[in-house]
Amino acid sequence: MMPHWDDLRIFLAVARAESLSGAGRALRIDPATVGRRVARLEETLGAPLFAKSPLGYALSEAGARLMPHAIRAEQAMEAAAGDMAGQAGGLSGQIRVGAPDGCANFVLPQVCAGIAAENPDLDIQIVALPRVFNLTRREADMVIAVSPPTAGRLSVQKIADYHLHLAASRVYLRAHPPIVKLEDLRDHRIVGYIPDMIFDRELDYLSEAGIARVHLASNSVSVQLNLVARGAGIGVLHDFSLPWLRRGQRVLADQFSLTRSFYLVRHADDRRLERQTRFAAALVEGLRAEVARLEGAT
């Protein structure tokens, strides 16, 4: 017997949430119903799809084999929905974008607000987390990354370069010894990432300035900016975040500057989905324009 698509949809939700309750919240149905539908699918296929443990629901060997087939079925349903909606119409449904929190806090809101205004039937979710996203588990439909992945069936598109500089509040600079060269930073308080929570080597900014000690640290870019803004020390900040640094300025801009890049990462198969492809095109165009606008304002 062939499995029902709706049962496959519930299977995917449990696999991604690793729990019945998490899948229920995502699907807006009762966890007990989720459990019954998983049991029905297991009966249909004649194999257990999950191994239950105190940590949650993990895919069994049979579940792992089913996963790519269920994803292809999901993609086919999304493609059909996009075709039925028509290419000329506005975007609809839900799209989740994962991004490092610097981009998610300072660039994505303006871009996604503009896309949402032009597509009132579209729901956009921004997941801002300082870590790598798992596209296979559909933690996001697409991800903005700071380094291009090299493994997996993924589509990678460079979005834009962005720039970073040392920065501090004018209050801090007036109260501390002058800074005329990089070596002078050894006499100043440094704001940066928690060293063992840097999830991508592209974020290891301070080592390039020869700085070993971080006096005030956070895994959040927005927290770092707020520390700098309150006169706590000197940090490496995105140029696109500097409009939010009130009464602050770059430090040693002629001696220290970093260039990094944003990349849009998607499932390779998702490029066939008209709805997601149109959204991705609008997202890339908007991000390029917004990074340029914010960097030009500093």
Side-chain angles (χ1 to χ4, degrees):
M1 183 184 299
M2 293 292 292
H4 295 283
W5 155 243
D6 207 43
D7 290 342
L8 289 176
R9 181 174 69 95
I10 289 174
F11 162 76
L12 284 171
V14 176
R16 290 162 181 163
E18 297 183 341
S19 71
L20 299 183
S21 57
R25 285 192 298 271
L27 298 171
R28 297 181 181 179
I29 59 178
D30 184 79
T33 301
V34 174
R36 288 194 295 271
R37 300 290 285 279
V38 168
R40 184 173 80 176
L41 181 59
E42 290 177 328
E43 183 178 355
T44 298
L45 297 176
L49 300 175
F50 296 98
K52 187 178 179 181
S53 76
L55 298 177
Y57 280 65
L59 287 172
S60 66
E61 183 179 345
R65 291 198 306 270
L66 178 61
M67 191 72 176
H69 300 289
I71 289 174
R72 283 195 291 272
E74 179 182 56
Q75 291 168 340
M77 293 298 291
E78 290 182 355
D83 288 343
M84 294 300 291
Q87 294 189 3
L91 298 174
S92 61
Q94 175 185 292
I95 292 182
R96 177 178 294 178
V97 183
D101 72 325
C103 179
N105 275 284
F106 302 112
V107 184
L108 264 183
Q110 299 91 303
V111 175
C112 289
I115 296 174
E118 294 178 358
N119 299 275
D121 294 327
L122 178 66
D123 296 335
I124 304 173
Q125 298 180 347
I126 299 174
V127 183
L129 289 175
R131 63 174 177 79
V132 176
F133 289 83
N134 188 323
L135 284 173
T136 300
R137 287 179 50 198
R138 292 290 177 172
E139 293 180 336
D141 296 297
M142 55 190 71
V143 167
I144 297 164
V146 294
S147 59
T150 56
R153 296 191 66 256
L154 301 172
S155 167
V156 181
Q157 177 185 3
K158 183 177 178 179
I159 301 172
D161 291 334
Y162 62 94
H163 304 88
L164 305 102
H165 287 88
L166 290 160
S169 73
R170 296 187 183 97
V171 171
Y172 177 88
L173 293 174
R174 285 195 298 267
H176 292 82
I179 306 169
V180 296
K181 57 186 184 299
L182 285 173
E183 289 77 9
D184 294 337
L185 295 173
R186 287 178 294 200
D187 300 323
H188 290 265
R189 294 200 305 270
I190 301 300
V191 174
Y193 278 104
I194 300 170
D196 62 357
M197 296 186 73
I198 296 176
F199 68 90
D200 192 298
R201 59 180 177 81
E202 296 292 337
L203 304 180
D204 189 11
Y205 309 136
L206 294 176
S207 65
E208 297 199 29
I211 297 171
R213 181 183 176 189
V214 181
H215 300 78
L216 290 158
S218 174
N219 65 336
S220 165
V221 169
S222 58
V223 171
Q224 292 175 37
L225 183 138
N226 278 306
L227 285 168
V228 171
R230 282 156 178 76
I234 299 171
V236 177
L237 300 180
H238 303 81
D239 282 7
F240 59 66
S241 73
L242 294 183
W244 283 267
L245 182 61
R246 307 300 181 189
R247 296 179 293 280
Q249 65 185 60
R250 293 189 182 100
V251 176
L252 301 178
D254 59 337
Q255 299 181 43
F256 182 83
S257 177
L258 298 177
T259 299
R260 297 291 190 264
S261 303
F262 285 135
Y263 299 87
L264 184 68
V265 184
R266 305 166 58 194
H267 285 283
D269 293 339
D270 285 358
R271 298 189 67 170
R272 297 187 303 221
L273 302 179
E274 184 265 343
R275 179 177 69 97
Q276 290 202 27
T277 296
R278 288 171 58 197
F279 178 85
L283 187 69
V284 168
E285 180 182 2
L287 286 169
R288 286 173 178 164
E290 187 63 13
V291 168
R293 183 186 74 82
L294 291 171
E295 290 197 345
T298 60

